[in-house]
Amino acid sequence: MHPRITVLTLAVDDLDRAVAFYRDGLGFATQGIVGREFENGAVAFFDLEHGLKLALWPRRSLAADTGLAPQPRSALEMSIGHNVASREEVHQVMARAAQAGARIVKPAQETFYGGFAGYFQDLDGHLWEVVFNPGFDPPGP
């Protein structure tokens, strides 16, 4: 697995308020909230340096997508998105993570937006999403 961290997702209680804070308060550029037409799909992306994106996603949506029970807020909460170039590569990375001792939280499967993704937790419980997103440019080597 090449270290291609592409999206850092922060779970938020109020998406509109969080977008205003990052966009208006901190000056981060964004296209605004997208995906409102999908259940648990509303999200805002901000372009960071070197292709890295910050995503703000409602806490309840992250809980629904992973299948984990909602939990109280914590300074440690986030999911780390590892984008890959194909559905097959999602399977390969998930298998490698499991082999290394990761806990598979949600096996790789089709997503509501036309992609393919799965979730695993590392040995300390940090949540990773391995995802093929046809809306993103394929990652480099």
Side-chain angles (χ1 to χ4, degrees), residues 30-108:
T30 182
Q31 299 284 324
I33 299 171
V34 298
R36 288 186 193 267
E37 66 273 21
F38 302 109
E39 181 178 357
N40 297 312
V43 63
F45 293 99
F46 300 84
D47 289 327
L48 304 176
E49 293 187 8
H50 308 291
L52 184 62
K53 294 185 183 296
L54 172 68
L56 301 178
W57 202 19
R59 181 171 283 98
R60 71 186 183 302
S61 298
L62 184 57
D65 199 43
T66 63
L68 295 172
Q71 300 174 14
R73 290 191 322 173
S74 166
L76 303 175
E77 93 188 8
M78 62 184 298
S79 73
I80 301 170
H82 179 72
N83 278 354
V84 296
S86 69
R87 286 170 165 76
E88 181 56 35
E89 195 173 352
V90 171
H91 284 299
Q92 291 170 356
V93 172
M94 293 289 289
R96 185 167 184 172
Q99 188 174 31
R103 176 178 170 252
I104 303 302
V105 173
K106 182 178 181 181

Side-chain angles (χ1 to χ4, degrees), residues 76 101 121-127:
L76 303 175
Q121 286 180 304
D122 70 11
L123 301 179
D124 292 300
H126 298 109
L127 189 61

